[in-house]
Amino acid sequence: MIDATWRLYGVCAHPAAHSLSPQMQNAALAAAGINGVYLAFDVPPAALGDMVRAIRALGIAGMNVSIPHKRAVGALLDGLEGDAVLSGSVNTIIQRQGRLIGYSTDGEGFIRSLREEAGYTPRGKKICLLGTGGAALALTTRLIREEAAGITLVTRGKKAAPDWPATAMGGLNPRMVTYDDLHADPGLLDGYDLLINTTPLGMHPDTQDMPPVPVSIFHPGLLVYDLIYNPRVTRLMAAAGKAGAKVLNGLGMLVYQGAASFELWTGRQAPVRAMREALEACPWNDDQG
Ligand code: NAP
């Protein structure tokens, strides 16, 4: 039974109703025997300041931050730590002695998924990311720290570097190319080991979409990681798999970024198996292609 000792956790996003974090994090709290409940809060951008004040006033123990607040929330907190310092992107807030500290666990979740699900480490590898949004920023920052040998970002129409904090680039200047450049010369990705889709192209319900890359870039030595997890096999993954590339969807990243948040809030090892099982049991998994 819930009593006065229970702690409140949550995620703030806009919209928030589609979030799978409540299923995953409530399963984690239950499996770890922690008296806590995790809720989703739909917070429009104009209410973000009120949300942060509510975290302080109500003593909310931990909060995830999702689209569209990841870059805006940092300025409202008392400090940033870890990957959030470099990227300026926050997906986890922890309350420590009345101070709100922002972290980013997206990069860690991605790296752990790569390691545990594909036995892959980025060190010394040449890596291509499709898209230059928030997830691409978090991953690029982390991949630089993990000593990737080279990074190419593929964008729709502009060759200038994306509007990212200079600190996030750690002195490395990722190469920018367009999809047209890639069609003109697929050899631009010769020797690349890992291709990551950070665009929303192919996500449910638009499952027939895929990033406009030439299929000749796919080969058996390539790992294609799609951040999308609904559907489980995207059109990009199917095309890459057909050419012999290894493929992975974003479910593992979702689990491990959530596990890293859980560990920051509770100081306990996250029950990742229970978290993954909770996600696998969600109804959205049943109607996928
Ligand atoms: P975002 O900030 O909106 O960025 C997406 C990027 O994709 C854009 O910056 C854009 O890059 C490119 N893009 C958008 N629409 C496009 C289109 N029609 N054609 C080609 N490129 C397009 O979103 P985000 O926060 O980075 O998230 C990106 C995806 O990753 C989402 O699907 C999200 O659900 C997923 N994600 C998954 C996890 C996980 O745990 N698995 C975690 C975070 C995010 P250019 O303007 O440079 O072309």
Side-chain angles (χ1 to χ4, degrees):
M1 183 196 286
I2 294 178
D3 64 26
T5 67
W6 281 53
R7 317 286 308 274
L8 179 59
Y9 303 84
V11 55
C12 65
H14 183 66
H18 67 285
S19 175
L20 299 173
S21 291
Q23 287 93 321
M24 177 171 72
Q25 294 291 3
N26 283 310
L29 290 165
I34 292 171
N35 289 346
V37 64
Y38 183 108
L39 301 176
F41 300 103
D42 191 333
V43 180
L48 190 61
D50 290 339
M51 178 69 201
V52 171
R53 280 187 287 280
I55 297 174
R56 293 183 200 278
L58 302 178
I60 293 174
M63 184 66 75
N64 281 132
V65 180
S66 192
I67 294 171
H69 305 308
K70 287 186 182 186
R71 294 224 14 215
V73 79
L76 305 173
L77 305 177
D78 299 311
L80 302 179
E81 288 185 15
D83 286 358
V85 176
L86 294 178
S87 67
S89 169
V90 170
N91 80 336
T92 304
I93 300 172
I94 107 167
Q95 178 141 220
R96 199 185 286 143
Q97 281 137 16
R99 297 185 76 237
L100 299 186
I101 310 295
Y103 290 81
S104 175
T105 65
D106 281 334
E108 183 174 338
F110 175 74
I111 297 293
R112 190 167 166 197
S113 166
L114 267 186
R115 189 178 62 236
E116 308 224 348
E117 298 178 294
Y120 187 99
T121 48
R123 186 154 191 242
K125 304 285 184 12
K126 291 169 92 173
I127 299 170
C128 172
L129 293 95
L130 309 178
T132 62
L137 167 61
L139 266 50
T140 300
T141 305
R142 185 61 187 236
L143 290 167
I144 289 171
R145 219 151 55 76
E146 299 283 330
E147 299 179 15
I151 294 182
T152 291
L153 301 168
V154 186
T155 184
R156 280 171 292 185
K158 51 189 190 300
K159 282 214 177 162
D163 171 29
W164 289 353
T167 48
M169 297 301 97
L172 194 97
N173 210 1
R175 180 174 65 162
M176 299 287 299
V177 303
T178 64
Y179 294 98
D180 288 342
D181 294 336
L182 263 190
H183 279 276
D185 181 9
L188 284 170
L189 295 185
D190 279 355
Y192 271 65
D193 307 282
L194 175 60
L195 180 101
I196 308 164
N197 178 33
T198 77
T199 80
L201 293 173
M203 187 160 58
H204 181 81
D206 300 313
T207 54
Q208 285 313 304
D209 288 349
M210 81 174 247
V213 291
V215 291
S216 58
I217 63 171
F218 302 134
H219 58 83
L222 186 71
L223 171 61
V224 174
Y225 194 115
D226 200 328
L227 259 52
I228 293 169
Y229 43 79
N230 184 11
R232 268 179 278 206
V233 180
T234 62
R235 207 175 141 211
L236 176 77
M237 291 167 65
K242 204 169 156 193
K246 195 168 174 182
V247 297
L248 207 55
N249 69 25
L251 192 69
M253 175 176 168
L254 182 67
V255 171
Y256 291 121
Q257 61 80 30
S261 298
F262 180 96
E263 287 169 5
L264 282 167
W265 296 327
T266 66
R268 304 261 297 270
Q269 195 173 356
V272 286
R273 194 158 158 192
M275 296 169 83
R276 188 183 283 271
E277 281 171 5
L279 290 174
E280 298 279 0
C282 289
W284 60 268
N285 258 327
D286 297 334
D287 62 0
Q288 297 173 68

